[in-house]
Amino acid sequence: TVTGVYSVKGKMVIRDRDRAGRKVLLVGNLGRDPRVKTTRSGMQVGRLSIATSERQKDGDQWVDHTEWHRVVCFGRTADNVGRFLRKGSQAYIEGKLRTSSWETDTGEKRYSTEVIADRVAFIGGKGDNRSGGGGRDSGGRGDNRGSQGNGGGGGYRQRPAGDDIPF
């Protein structure tokens, strides 16, 4: 049961009473090609760098703010991300936050937060060579629901060029 929904700098965070932790939903663009490696046990691990942006009015001017997110995915999702996504591709990420800490050589404590992706949907038109996906959903659940029927992608459509936004 969802107990609260709020937005933090382009991230939608949903508090879910039935799951430990927080659910994160991101829609953004890859800052570089995904890095996919295979562990000794044969599990694929994919690492993505996703940029989300927001625009706020500061006095008379609009100011853009970009936030970068580290995303990690595993298994079939990592394989699909490596095959279909490239730098600049737009993606929908659903997962949970994980924060790690370590000490530097000088004894300073450092922290790093990343999103562990449960689902990655490739957002982009069929003519978008960068994403190669036409709205594919890498799922992570062993199915490919997003590649059937309506084009998937979580219901998101790429805006036609020259389309004016009324707000």
Side-chain angles (χ1 to χ4, degrees):
T1 305
V2 174
T3 59
V5 178
Y6 57 96
S7 177
V8 178
K9 294 187 179 179
K11 295 181 268 189
M12 182 184 298
V13 179
I14 300 175
R15 290 212 178 260
D16 189 341
R17 185 178 344 161
D18 298 333
R19 283 181 31 158
R22 289 177 282 172
K23 188 171 193 175
V24 176
L25 307 174
L26 298 171
V27 175
N29 294 74
L30 272 69
R32 62 176 176 231
D33 287 348
R35 293 177 290 157
V36 179
K37 294 184 179 181
T38 305
T39 64
R40 288 184 183 146
S41 64
M43 170 70 75
Q44 290 191 305
V45 179
R47 295 192 177 275
L48 313 169
S49 182
I50 301 285
T52 57
S53 297
E54 67 178 336
R55 179 171 260 215
Q56 296 178 334
K57 193 156 188 171
D58 184 15
D60 293 339
Q61 296 184 20
W62 286 95
V63 179
D64 290 325
H65 175 75
T66 301
E67 191 80 26
W68 288 93
H69 312 276
R70 291 185 192 106
V71 178
V72 180
C73 53
F74 300 94
R76 183 174 177 190
T77 301
D79 179 49
N80 286 334
V81 159
R83 291 188 319 156
F84 295 110
L85 292 180
R86 296 290 171 257
K87 179 180 178 177
S89 297
Q90 192 174 32
Y92 165 86
I93 312 288
E94 188 175 310
K96 56 188 167 283
L97 292 176
R98 180 176 69 187
T99 301
S100 306
S101 64
W102 69 94
E103 266 189 40
T104 64
D105 295 336
T106 60
E108 194 176 349
K109 192 144 188 163
R110 298 283 178 126
Y111 298 91
S112 175
T113 301
E114 57 192 8
V115 177
I116 306 301
D118 297 324
R119 179 175 176 222
V120 177
F122 312 147
I123 304 171
K126 292 182 181 177
D128 184 359
N129 293 332
R130 294 176 309 191
S131 69
R136 284 182 194 246
D137 181 355
S138 71
R141 297 181 180 100
D143 62 324
N144 224 2
R145 293 170 294 165
S147 62
Q148 301 173 5
N150 67 358
Y156 294 98
R157 290 185 310 141
Q158 193 165 16
R159 187 172 48 118
D163 190 17
D164 290 340
I165 298 176
F167 51 88

